[in-house]
Amino acid sequence: MSKFSKYQIATAVAIIFHVIGIMGILFYDTQSFINATPINLLLSFALLIWTEEDRNKYFWIFLLITVSAGFFVEVVGVNTGALFGDYGYGDALGYRYLNVPVIIGLNWFIIIYCSGISLNIFLVKLINKLASESNTPPKRLKMISVIVDGATVAVLMDMVIEPAAIKMGLWKWGGDGSVPMYNYVCWFLFSILLLTIFQFCNFKKQNKFAVNLLLIQAMFFLILRTFMK
């Protein structure tokens, strides 16, 4: 029997847990499975740590900054409305401090890390080709692409998550309940900042599971936003 890689094991575990979540939310005890969202986040976070091959000090610095900064901007956003808009969190994400679930920083890390890794993996060949055609140093072109395109991926991921998260009661928006464009502008600008830190932190950025998890989570929320009442 062939030996499975860490990436394959982690992907299988993530798929199983997300499928269980979909089935539970759509067909069984909806609220109980929604309340288990922090468990899913913690599992995804743990699997990303486990599959990262280069857990050096720079990786931990990036992780700490992203988790802390993600929580901080949410505190500012929820309590002042100066960032993202008028919104508030429900109880499904667990314990809240300063009106923000303490686990929300992990969500920021998962999205930023997976977006950055995905761009690093898929754009290498394309960037080398473009660099040779434009006489631009590949390293500089890659950095710009990962930061800007990665931020775009992060915003697209938030757009996918929002309708399902609102239906699940993870958070809600003020006014007529619609998501303001200002939210996505803030997501883009803050993602650029975090992905800049990501690029300057010197650790190996080739975690294939991060790409798989990004796709798994996108499918998870697309299915819920489509079929959840």
Side-chain angles (χ1 to χ4, degrees), residues 12 18 55 58 61 67 71 86 103 106 130 163 174 183 216 224:
H18 282 82
R55 294 190 293 271
Y58 299 105
I61 288 171
V67 171
F71 180 79
D86 180 16
I103 203 170
L106 298 189
L130 292 174
N183 169 66
I216 291 168
L224 290 182

Side-chain angles (χ1 to χ4, degrees), residues 66-221:
T66 305
V67 171
S68 302
F71 180 79
F72 174 75
V73 295
E74 296 284 353
V75 169
V76 174
V78 166
N79 291 287
T80 70
L83 296 173
F84 308 110
D86 180 16
Y87 71 107
Y89 283 97
D91 296 327
L93 288 175
Y95 175 75
R96 284 176 290 181
Y97 178 68
L98 300 177
N99 300 317
V100 175
V102 295
I103 203 170
I104 202 65
L106 298 189
N107 188 58
W108 273 98
F109 170 78
I110 291 170
I111 292 177
I112 296 298
Y113 175 82
C114 290
S115 298
I117 293 291
S118 298
L119 268 294
N120 268 282
I121 289 176
F122 285 116
L123 289 183
V124 172
K125 291 184 179 179
L126 176 60
I127 286 171
N128 287 336
K129 181 180 179 181
L130 292 174
S132 63
E133 292 175 354
S134 63
N135 294 321
T136 304
K139 187 175 181 180
R140 183 188 306 170
L141 189 59
K142 179 181 178 182
M143 179 174 292
I144 294 171
S145 180
V146 169
I147 292 171
V148 177
D149 295 339
T152 302
V153 170
V155 171
L156 290 174
M157 190 66 184
D158 184 52
M159 287 180 173
V160 169
I161 292 173
E162 286 288 349
I166 293 169
K167 287 183 178 181
M168 293 165 68
L170 301 184
W171 56 77
K172 61 181 179 180
W173 292 92
D176 61 2
S178 61
V179 185
M181 183 57 64
Y182 182 61
N183 169 66
Y184 301 120
V185 172
C186 289
W187 255 90
F188 183 73
L189 295 176
F190 190 56
S191 295
I192 284 180
L193 173 62
L194 292 179
L195 283 163
T196 301
I197 297 170
F198 171 84
Q199 278 301 94
F200 276 99
C201 285
N202 187 23
F203 63 93
K204 189 175 181 180
K205 302 177 175 74
Q206 294 294 311
N207 187 347
K208 296 177 184 177
F209 170 66
V211 181
N212 295 341
L213 181 61
L214 192 68
L215 295 174
I216 291 168
Q217 289 200 337
M219 288 302 301
F220 174 81
F221 286 105

Side-chain angles (χ1 to χ4, degrees), residues 21-55:
I22 290 171
M23 300 301 291
I25 291 171
L26 294 181
F27 304 113
Y28 187 55
D29 188 347
T30 299
Q31 194 57 51
S32 293
F33 278 87
I34 289 174
N35 289 340
T37 300
I39 297 175
N40 202 331
L41 276 175
L42 285 169
L43 176 67
S44 298
F45 175 74
L47 290 173
L48 287 174
I49 301 299
W50 182 55
T51 51
E52 170 57 52
E53 296 180 1
D54 193 15
R55 294 190 293 271

